[in-house]
Amino acid sequence: MHDDLIARAKAWLTEDPDTDTRAELAELIDAKDVAELAERFSGTLQFGTAGLRGELGAGPMRMNRTVVIRAAAGLAAYLKKNGHTDGVVVIGYDARHKSAAFAEDTAAVMTGAGLRAAVLPRPLPTPVLAFAIRHLGAIAGVEVTASHNPPRDNGYKVYLGDGSQIVPPADAEIAAEIDAVASLTTVPRPTTGWETLDDAVLDAYLARTDAVLAPGSPRTARTVYTAMHGVGKETLLAAFARAGFPRPVLVAEQADPDPDFPTVAFPNPEEPGAMDLAFAKARETDPDLIIANDPDADRLAVAVKDAGDWRMLRGDEVGALLATHLVARGARGTFAESIVSSSLLGRIVEKANLPYEETLTGFKWIARVEGLRYGYEEALGYCVDPDGVRDKDGITAALQMTELASTLKAENRTLLDLLDDIAVEHGLHATDQLSVRVEDLSVIAAAMRRLREQPPTRLAGLPITRSEDLTQGTESLPPTDGLRYTLDGARVVVRPSGTEPKLKCYLEVVVPVAAHADLPAARAKATDLLATIKRDLSTAAGI
């Protein structure tokens, strides 16, 4: 068994084009580190609807140039098999370790396969790549990014020519083509022949960002901004300057790209501590709001001053604020969200007499909604310009939130005042999440199995009126690994994360509110209910 493992590692070593991972693997082979080799050669990173994502390192279970070259070859074969024998594949990348190399390898493979490749000029936000696909009429796009994952990770996200991320069955068909790549020696990789784009694509993206704002709207709100060590700063500052907003005050320690993310354990604004430096800067400068992007700038976080200090708004709160803003501006078209996001959007849209749709989790589904005008997901993803970017976009969403804050400021009101109004009009929709990060993925499978075999009948004393196993699909949703419980005045969705080793449980309670004076009591009741549901669900799932 050990001999076989060492032989497979040596075979991999002969093909590996990267001196860093070759040295790493050679050291493991010399040391006969069987445990580490077994982990790295226990299978291959699976290509799915999120593309690839994993820890950087040598071997088939890690992100490295060998894995990326095979993935690119599989994608090229899939495109040609589907009749795209001539067309451009546009490639973007973030500032993580190895991102530029993975982008160049992808360009080389596409060129070697007889397709045309165009690479963005430098590390840029993911929304710029999503925009470029439609803008250039590309047949596909690739973004090398691990978004908000830990520093040791990287990833590979694939879009088709409609500018939205792949969904089944394309993922399985591409995966099959990747599996069919026998050896890297069969993959032609010329050293030239692709195009490196200039700033014209970025300029076209920035020109579109103006369109998300109402002509002549107030532009006075002052912001503190953090790029979370990612690639958002230059693009966001350019968009804000074009729009005529005051220049955001930067969180200097996190403003420039740094693949080691030195100030945060996880570079995700939702993680505890990630926004501490932004809060400190806001206490110093007293802006109207804090805005933050994740490292590839497709997500937006917003924080506001509440009772004298700063707090993050939940993704669902930002989602409702943006929807209310768009409805007030007379937006037409379908408003969409994922099943794990707040049901408040449905209430807002119903009252405005606009079409509404619910999708599976992930912007790959939201972006495919016909006639989409606005889409959001509670994980800080917002699409406010679907004709330009068929994906979440933290830059245009930041512009629109700052426009809304400016509009309210002109009326001597705040984002919190508007949230209060929304709660009185539609009921207080309070959300929370029970999220469990695991080392061992079997813990997640065991929790899901336990909930299926012994489903809870009550949570927080509320009877479960409807229990759905989403693996069966529903009238409006394709099958997915998830459970949904409907309670009287509450809702719970449980699912394994598609991109991280986490079990995620999304909780929502709805408390009717008669008048503004009733809000404090309603909030206290909601907080208590959410805490009790979280405790009871945790017990039921055995986590």
Side-chain angles (χ1 to χ4, degrees):
M1 175 63 192
H2 291 178
D3 291 349
D4 173 54
L5 187 59
I6 299 288
R8 279 191 293 143
K10 284 180 172 171
W12 183 275
L13 190 64
T14 61
E15 288 200 339
D16 190 339
D18 188 326
T19 51
D20 293 342
T21 44
R22 282 174 63 82
E24 184 187 310
L25 189 55
E27 205 171 289
L28 292 173
I29 293 169
D30 290 345
K32 295 192 166 55
D33 190 337
V34 173
E36 186 64 25
L37 287 170
E39 191 192 323
R40 289 167 183 240
F41 286 83
S42 61
T44 54
L45 269 191
Q46 286 307 299
F47 186 92
T49 51
L52 293 166
R53 207 178 280 188
E55 192 175 330
L56 288 160
M61 286 299 286
R62 296 284 187 269
M63 280 296 294
N64 50 62
R65 289 184 58 197
T66 305
V67 163
V68 164
I69 289 164
R70 295 174 74 93
L75 174 60
Y78 166 84
L79 290 168
K80 287 162 75 172
K81 197 170 270 189
N82 283 274
H84 300 294
T85 48
D86 180 41
V88 68
V89 177
V90 61
I91 302 151
Y93 58 102
D94 68 11
R96 283 177 180 263
H97 292 298
K98 300 286 181 189
S99 287
F102 294 168
E104 187 172 305
D105 282 332
T106 302
V109 171
M110 294 303 158
T111 305
L115 298 167
R116 289 177 292 134
V119 185
L120 292 180
R122 59 185 170 281
L124 285 166
T126 294
V128 176
L129 181 274
F131 166 81
I133 296 164
R134 291 163 73 89
H135 180 68
L136 298 173
I139 55 170
V142 170
E143 176 72 14
V144 180
T145 181
S147 189
H148 58 281
N149 272 40
R152 63 177 184 270
D153 290 2
N154 213 329
Y156 197 81
K157 194 183 272 194
V158 175
Y159 298 75
L160 294 181
D162 61 355
S164 53
Q165 296 172 52
I166 54 167
V167 294
D171 56 342
E173 290 169 16
I174 295 169
E177 296 294 346
I178 294 170
D179 290 344
V181 179
S183 152
L184 287 205
T185 55
T186 65
V187 182
R189 299 199 319 277
T191 53
T192 58
W194 58 89
E195 180 187 2
T196 300
L197 296 163
D198 59 18
D199 275 358
V201 166
L202 178 61
D203 293 342
Y205 168 82
L206 286 168
R208 260 211 88 88
T209 63
D210 299 353
V212 307
L213 301 173
S217 62
R219 312 274 165 97
T220 58
R222 294 178 311 108
T223 54
V224 159
Y225 170 68
T226 174
M228 207 62 69
H229 298 297
V231 299
K233 180 186 81 171
E234 297 299 337
T235 306
L236 183 126
L237 288 181
F240 269 58
R242 287 181 69 106
F245 287 112
R247 180 185 163 91
V249 173
L250 300 178
V251 177
E253 303 93 326
Q254 299 176 332
D256 295 315
D258 186 333
D260 294 320
F261 302 99
T263 68
V264 286
F266 293 100
N268 175 356
E270 291 180 294
E271 292 281 350
M275 294 287 284
D276 286 358
L277 289 169
F279 290 164
K281 180 59 77 175
R283 289 180 197 118
E284 205 182 290
T285 57
D286 198 32
D288 297 298
L289 71 161
I290 298 172
I291 49 176
N293 288 136
D294 66 337
D296 68 327
D298 63 351
R299 286 174 166 83
L300 168 74
V302 178
V304 295
K305 203 171 192 177
D306 187 4
D309 203 5
W310 290 85
R311 79 161 174 98
M312 271 266 289
L313 293 179
R314 291 193 166 276
D316 285 317
E317 291 177 305
V318 176
L321 286 167
L322 285 171
T324 301
H325 185 45
L326 283 164
V327 167
R329 277 180 30 185
R332 312 302 298 166
T334 302
F335 283 54
E337 64 178 339
S338 64
I339 55 168
V340 299
S341 305
S342 170
S343 59
L344 176 55
L345 182 70
R347 303 268 180 102
I348 293 167
V349 173
E350 186 183 15
K351 188 147 193 187
N353 208 18
L354 290 167
Y356 164 78
E357 213 162 301
E358 204 179 41
T359 74
L360 291 184
T361 312
F363 256 83
K364 56 186 176 277
W365 299 107
I366 294 170
R368 287 186 151 66
V369 167
E370 214 168 304
L372 183 68
R373 176 59 189 86
Y374 169 69
Y376 100 90
E377 184 149 79
E378 57 69 50
L380 311 186
Y382 314 95
C383 173
V384 299
D385 177 27
D387 291 343
V389 176
R390 282 260 147 184
D391 199 5
K392 52 190 177 293
D393 182 347
I395 307 288
T396 47
L399 285 170
Q400 212 162 74
M401 273 308 284
T402 310
E403 177 186 50
L404 174 56
S406 302
T407 304
L408 291 163
K409 189 178 179 179
E411 301 164 2
N412 207 20
R413 280 156 45 79
T414 67
L415 294 168
L416 289 179
D417 291 330
L418 182 52
L419 281 171
D420 285 352
D421 293 350
I422 292 169
V424 171
E425 187 172 357
H426 303 288
L428 176 68
H429 290 62
T431 56
D432 200 359
Q433 202 182 108
L434 171 62
S435 180
V436 184
R437 185 181 287 275
V438 299
E439 290 293 319
D440 178 2
L441 288 175
S442 71
V443 174
I444 294 176
M448 294 298 286
R449 188 167 60 247
R450 182 168 168 161
L451 287 171
R452 286 193 169 103
E453 289 170 2
Q454 301 163 357
T457 55
R458 303 174 84 81
L459 293 170
L462 300 172
I464 292 175
T465 55
R466 189 169 176 211
S467 185
E468 297 167 278
D469 187 341
L470 299 175
T471 47
Q472 310 303 311
T474 70
E475 278 177 26
S476 56
L477 297 170
T480 187
D481 185 10
L483 299 162
R484 179 163 60 179
Y485 305 118
T486 306
L487 301 88
D488 188 17
R491 185 214 61 193
V492 173
V493 179
V494 184
R495 60 179 279 275
S497 167
T499 54
E500 296 177 273
K502 281 182 173 181
L503 180 69
K504 295 182 128 180
C505 311
Y506 305 84
L507 325 175
E508 178 176 48
V509 299
V510 184
V511 180
V513 184
H516 281 76
D518 301 321
L519 278 168
R523 288 209 167 93
K525 181 179 177 183
T527 302
D528 185 46
L529 266 175
L530 285 169
T532 314
I533 290 173
K534 197 187 269 196
R535 188 194 65 212
D536 291 357
L537 184 65
S538 186
T539 303
I543 50 176

